[in-house]
């Protein structure tokens, strides 16, 4: 029997058809066909779940969320990066939909990751930070907190539709056993509870562990070496292979899957494997971006080879803007936008975003929908034929009407830094209520020195 708060959060399957088509005429027949297809498989799922004897009901689409770490809005060729070193991601955009107005929920790693997996602003889950409330900001080893058990995470809910879920890479939502990814819906994990900080002395402070499911299989800088002098590390290749193997296994078992590929190569200290080192015009950071681009290309190629591309939804984005403190050699580009990570200016909050679903999302589309990383939660549930929990506030929108029909939804974007509302965007307007990036107490202390 599930605990009471889990019972309350059980999701319900859609009981009705997809909303009526109201997209632009330009999308026309393609959009109508995509929506009709989505409606058919949802209806079949509903009838099958209701035990009405439907046979051969199609399984819901696979879901791949590719979450980068500190990658800036201006880091991809399709967003105007002049070296044009991301051919695979640029092709992904050409085959899908580009979102130039896509935002994170917080300009720091942990709160934004909590927002993606819960569909909620970090202030609702308590996973927020200011300088005065930093318990969940960076989750260093000394911090004992993590994602609250009362929160319902996306992989837990997707189980209702039969999904097998895996996270590859950085978890960053707590390192104690009660916060482990496998305690919050994931079936598999390969990666670390934190970023690749270090190396440490392993006496007063050990290096960051790397896990395969519940077993610690090594530590950064030891079993998983990172050469800080040269930038060489094989981690991205390891993470790529974990993704490819998982996809192959789930396809062979004919199970729908959710893969959260949350690698950290663009977080300083940046790293890349030997074949990519020294190959970019942008230095070591560019080497890391080139390897990520190559990896995404290999993932999409595998989906085509397995003939499951048309049944796999893929979304690429970043957890927050580029960390300008690491620039120029180890930090990315936020394009034309002001500031970067840790700030609620556009450079800290606006992220690269690409949606790809061949045969459903029309190719070569650019949507000016104001999107949020929290929308990936709601959209993923919609793809699975599920509704969001009804016992709590959900801040994410379902982006399927935007992707399939070209529909735009008027909505605000809130810029929180910790528990302080710093700014709000609506339409083409942004109101700044506070532009200092630290707490008032820290600001007053700095001014008194």
């Amino acid at each position: 029997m599930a605990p009471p708060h889990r019972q309350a959060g059980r999701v319900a399957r859609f009981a009705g058809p997809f909303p009526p088509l109201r997209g632009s005429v330009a999308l026309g027949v393609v959009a109508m066909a995509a929506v009709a297809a989505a409606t058919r498989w949802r209806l079949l799922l509903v009838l099958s779940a209701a035990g009405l004897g439907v046979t051969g009901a199609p399984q819901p689409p696979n879901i791949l969320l590719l979450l980068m770490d500190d990658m800036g809005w201006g880091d991809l060729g399709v967003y105007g990066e002049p070296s044009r070193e991301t051919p695979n991601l640029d092709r992904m955009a050409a085959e899908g939909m580009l979102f130039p107005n896509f935002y994170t929920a917080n300009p720091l790693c942990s709160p934004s990751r909590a927002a993606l997996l819960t569909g909620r602003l970090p202030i609702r889950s308590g996973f927020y930070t200011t300088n005065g409330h930093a318990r969940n900001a960076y989750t260093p080893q000394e911090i004992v907190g993590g994602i609250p058990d009362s929160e319902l995470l996306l992989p837990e809910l997707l189980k209702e539709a039969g999904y097998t879920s895996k996270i590859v890479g950085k978890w960053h939502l707590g390192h104690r056993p009660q916060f482990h990814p496998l305690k919050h819906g994931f079936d598999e994990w390969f990666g670390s509870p934190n970023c690749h900080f270090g190396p440490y002395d392993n006496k007063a402070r050990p290096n960051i562990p790397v896990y395969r499911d519940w077993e610690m299989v090594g530590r950064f800088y030891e079993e998983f070496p990172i050469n800080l002098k040269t930038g060489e590390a094989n981690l991205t290749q390891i993470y790529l292979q974990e993704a490819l193997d998982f996809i192959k296994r789930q396809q062979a078992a004919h199970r729908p899957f959710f893969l959260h590929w949350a690698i950290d190569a663009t977080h300083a200290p940046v790293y890349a494997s030997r074949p990519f080192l020294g190959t970019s015009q942008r230095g070591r950071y560019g080497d890391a971006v080139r390897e990520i681009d190559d990896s995404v290309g290999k993932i999409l190629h595998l989906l085509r080879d397995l003939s499951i591309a048309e049944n796999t939804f893929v979304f690429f984005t970043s957890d927050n803007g580029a960390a300008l403190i690491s620039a120029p050699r180890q930090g990315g580009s936020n394009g034309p936008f002001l500031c970067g990570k840790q700030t609620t200016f556009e450079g800290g909050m606006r992220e690269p975003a690409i949606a790809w679903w061949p045969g459903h999302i029309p190719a070569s589309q650019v949507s000016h929908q104001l999107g949020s990383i929290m929308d990936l939660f709601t959209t993923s549930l919609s793809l699975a034929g599920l509704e969001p929990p009804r016992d709590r506030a959900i801040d994410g929108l379902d982006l399927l009407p935007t992707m399939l029909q070209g529909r735009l939804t008027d909505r605000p974007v809130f810029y929180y830094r910790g528990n302080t509302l710093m700014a709000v965007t609506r339409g083409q307007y942004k109101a700044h209520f506070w532009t200092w990036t630290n707490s008032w107490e820290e600001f007053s202390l700095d001014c008194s020195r």
Side-chain angles (χ1 to χ4, degrees), residues 424-445:
V424 177
T425 283
R426 185 149 195 173
Q428 299 182 34
Y429 300 95
K430 181 177 181 180
H432 279 280
F433 305 119
W434 193 243
T435 56
W436 186 255
T437 60
N438 292 319
S439 65
W440 176 251
E441 292 82 5
E442 182 78 7
F443 175 69
S444 301
L445 181 63

Side-chain angles (χ1 to χ4, degrees), residues 127-346:
F127 219 89
Y128 58 83
T129 173
T130 68
N131 283 345
H133 307 279
R135 292 191 177 277
N136 286 319
Y138 307 101
T139 55
Q141 297 172 74
E142 294 83 358
I143 299 302
V144 297
I147 191 72
D149 189 55
S150 58
E151 291 299 318
L152 289 163
L153 274 60
L154 178 58
E156 183 176 0
L157 299 176
L158 288 176
K159 287 185 183 299
E160 297 286 331
Y163 281 75
T164 300
S165 300
K166 178 166 186 166
I167 177 172
V168 174
K170 178 176 168 182
W171 168 240
H172 220 203
L173 299 183
H175 65 266
R176 289 196 163 191
Q178 65 266 38
F179 307 124
H180 193 285
L182 271 61
K183 293 279 285 186
H184 292 272
F186 284 103
D187 300 292
E188 299 181 23
W189 179 33
F190 182 88
S192 176
N194 207 331
C195 207
H196 53 284
F197 300 125
Y200 302 115
D201 59 18
N202 268 337
K203 295 176 182 177
R205 194 177 194 192
N207 285 321
I208 305 293
V210 176
Y211 285 86
R212 179 174 297 284
D213 300 331
W214 286 102
E215 180 184 2
M216 193 184 86
V217 293
R219 292 184 183 274
F220 289 140
Y221 301 97
E222 297 173 40
E223 291 81 5
F224 298 91
I226 303 170
N227 189 319
L228 293 182
K229 184 176 181 180
T230 65
E232 182 179 351
N234 206 39
L235 285 169
T236 298
Q237 292 303 308
I238 295 172
Y239 291 148
L240 169 62
Q241 197 59 50
E242 288 290 326
L244 300 179
D245 290 346
F246 177 74
I247 292 169
K248 290 175 185 176
R249 283 190 284 109
Q250 303 314 310
Q251 190 272 340
H254 304 290
R255 288 191 296 256
F257 61 83
F258 166 46
L259 174 60
H260 187 33
W261 200 62
I263 69 171
D264 61 358
T266 45
H267 189 298
V270 294
Y271 60 79
S273 62
R274 185 171 298 176
F276 293 91
L277 285 176
T279 64
S280 170
Q281 300 176 56
R282 302 180 63 197
R284 191 180 294 179
Y285 182 87
D287 296 342
V289 172
R290 289 199 67 242
E291 185 167 18
I292 287 171
D293 177 77
D294 182 78
S295 299
V296 172
K298 286 182 168 65
I299 290 171
L300 300 186
H301 184 74
L302 176 63
L303 297 176
R304 294 188 184 96
D305 276 357
L306 296 176
S307 300
I308 57 173
E310 292 193 0
N311 196 43
T312 305
F313 172 82
V314 185
F315 200 96
F316 178 95
T317 190
S318 176
D319 61 348
N320 47 250
L324 301 187
I325 193 172
S326 305
R329 293 192 69 240
Q330 302 217 30
S333 167
N334 294 312
F337 300 117
L338 182 63
C339 291
K341 179 181 179 178
Q342 301 191 42
T343 80
T344 52
F345 292 106
E346 294 297 285

